[in-house]
């Protein structure tokens, strides 16, 4: 999808994040961030994630779920409200891991304090491109998943069929070094530009088997650039 698509533009449909009949409104050609639910303001990638989650784990509201770095709207709010066994974490550098801070548990995805096989599902939404060492994070996610559980996540596969590139590094002073053009999502530096070979990285680091889902469904407001949903299963 590219800039030839029209805007402003809207259609009616069902939002699976707020569970309401709504209008989906795009005020910019970059639908990924601008094709929003009129009610809960969720984005297409959030609706795509919930769509896949409901297809694969229809009983997800009864499951043990860990979401790292949740959003302030949309799917994350729904998970918190509807899933009784949902735990949300953020990483607060300089504070003890496992500590409760501002209604979140302090966890570093690369080195978690959760016990082995603690969760049925782990959810991340546009997080993994900001992780310095994703191999460590995928390994830790696999450790905390129960057999048959899955990591369900969105991540922009900006390299498509090209190999994954390491886009930033940290020097000995923990300063960010960009060998290429600096890339940020808001205030957050992007460390990785992933391609479809991310499935190999995940398997080699964690043993998790990954499928990539591409959803396009206007009835659910799911249409945009780079909204593939990845499901990495622990067999």
């Amino acid at each position: 999808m590219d800039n030839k698509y029209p805007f402003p533009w809207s259609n009616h449909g069902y939002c699976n994040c707020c569970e309401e009949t709504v209008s989906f409104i795009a005020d910019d050609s970059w639908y990924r961030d601008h094709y929003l639910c009129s009610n809960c303001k969720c984005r297409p990638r959030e609706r795509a994630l919930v769509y896949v989650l409901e297809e694969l784990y229809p009983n997800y509201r009864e499951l043990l779920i860990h979401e790292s770095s949740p959003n302030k709207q949309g799917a994350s709010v729904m998970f918190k409200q509807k899933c009784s066994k949902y735990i949300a974490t953020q990483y607060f550098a300089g504070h003890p891991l496992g500590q409760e801070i501002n209604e979140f548990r302090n966890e570093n995805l690369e080195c978690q304090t959760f016990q082995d096989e603690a969760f049925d599902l782990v959810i991340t939404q546009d997080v993994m491109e900001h992780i310095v060492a994703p191999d460590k994070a995928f390994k830790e996610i696999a450790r905390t998943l129960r057999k048959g559980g899955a990591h369900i996540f969105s991540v922009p596969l900006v390299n498509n069929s090209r190999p994954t590139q390491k886009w930033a590094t940290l020097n000995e002073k923990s300063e960010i070094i960009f060998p290429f053009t600096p890339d940020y999502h808001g205030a957050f530096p992007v460390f990785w530009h992933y391609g479809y070979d991310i499935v190999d990285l995940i398997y080699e680091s964690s043993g998790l088997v990954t499928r990539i889902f591409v959803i396009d469904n206007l009835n659910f407001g799911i249409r945009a650039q780079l909204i593939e949903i990845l499901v990495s299963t622990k067999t």
Side-chain angles (χ1 to χ4, degrees):
M1 196 165 186
D2 56 36
N3 288 346
K4 71 181 181 180
Y5 284 83
F7 68 93
W9 179 81
S10 68
N11 70 290
H12 295 292
Y14 178 77
C15 177
N16 54 16
C17 290
C18 61
E19 301 179 310
E20 297 286 347
T21 299
V22 301
S23 293
F24 298 111
I25 303 170
D27 62 1
D28 188 282
S29 61
W30 184 247
Y31 286 11
R32 191 175 197 271
D33 293 318
H34 296 276
Y35 180 37
L36 305 181
C37 168
S38 60
N39 184 47
C40 72
K41 309 305 179 185
C42 69
R43 292 159 289 198
R45 63 182 180 271
E46 298 176 72
R47 300 189 288 270
L49 187 144
V50 174
Y51 185 97
V52 172
L53 180 60
E54 290 178 336
E55 287 291 313
L56 298 182
Y57 295 90
N59 65 330
Y60 73 92
R61 295 185 183 187
E62 305 167 10
L63 301 180
L64 288 159
I65 299 175
H66 167 210
E67 183 175 17
S68 174
S69 306
N71 296 316
K72 295 180 180 180
Q73 82 292 315
S76 295
V77 172
M78 185 270 286
F79 296 145
K80 182 177 180 180
Q81 293 176 344
K82 304 292 185 179
C83 303
S84 61
K85 300 174 184 178
Y86 169 83
I87 294 176
T89 67
Q90 295 277 7
Y91 179 45
F92 301 94
H95 294 270
L97 295 177
Q99 184 180 72
E100 296 293 326
I101 302 175
N102 299 331
E103 299 184 357
F104 296 101
R105 176 164 164 156
N106 185 27
E107 292 290 343
N108 181 347
L109 274 180
E110 298 175 15
C111 182
Q112 301 178 46
T113 66
F114 292 117
Q115 295 181 350
D116 294 354
E117 301 184 355
F119 301 106
D120 299 300
L121 299 172
V122 174
I123 294 172
T124 59
Q125 300 185 62
D126 281 26
V127 171
M128 303 310 295
E129 69 269 31
H130 303 293
I131 300 296
V132 177
D135 56 336
K136 294 181 180 179
F138 289 126
K139 185 176 181 179
E140 276 290 272
I141 288 170
R143 179 186 66 79
T144 64
L145 280 173
R146 296 176 173 179
K147 187 175 181 180
H151 177 203
I152 301 180
F153 64 109
S154 64
V155 65
L157 302 179
V158 295
N159 277 19
N160 296 315
S161 58
R162 292 178 287 120
T164 292
Q165 292 176 280
K166 191 171 187 177
W167 208 255
T169 59
L170 295 178
N171 64 17
E172 64 277 2
K173 298 179 180 180
S174 295
E175 297 169 331
I176 300 169
I177 305 298
F178 283 103
F180 311 104
T181 303
D183 190 3
Y184 287 85
H185 294 167
F188 301 102
V190 173
F191 283 88
W192 295 88
H193 280 191
Y194 290 111
Y196 293 137
D197 61 350
I198 188 176
V199 300
D200 300 318
L201 168 65
I202 295 169
Y203 183 76
E204 291 165 3
S205 59
S206 69
L208 300 178
V209 177
T210 303
R211 292 178 288 170
I212 300 175
F213 293 82
V214 180
I215 311 299
D216 184 84
N217 189 325
L218 286 177
N219 291 328
F220 287 89
I222 303 173
R223 176 169 292 178
Q225 314 89 333
L226 303 176
I227 59 169
E228 294 93 341
I229 301 301
L230 286 74
V231 179
S232 301
T233 305
K234 186 172 184 177
T235 57

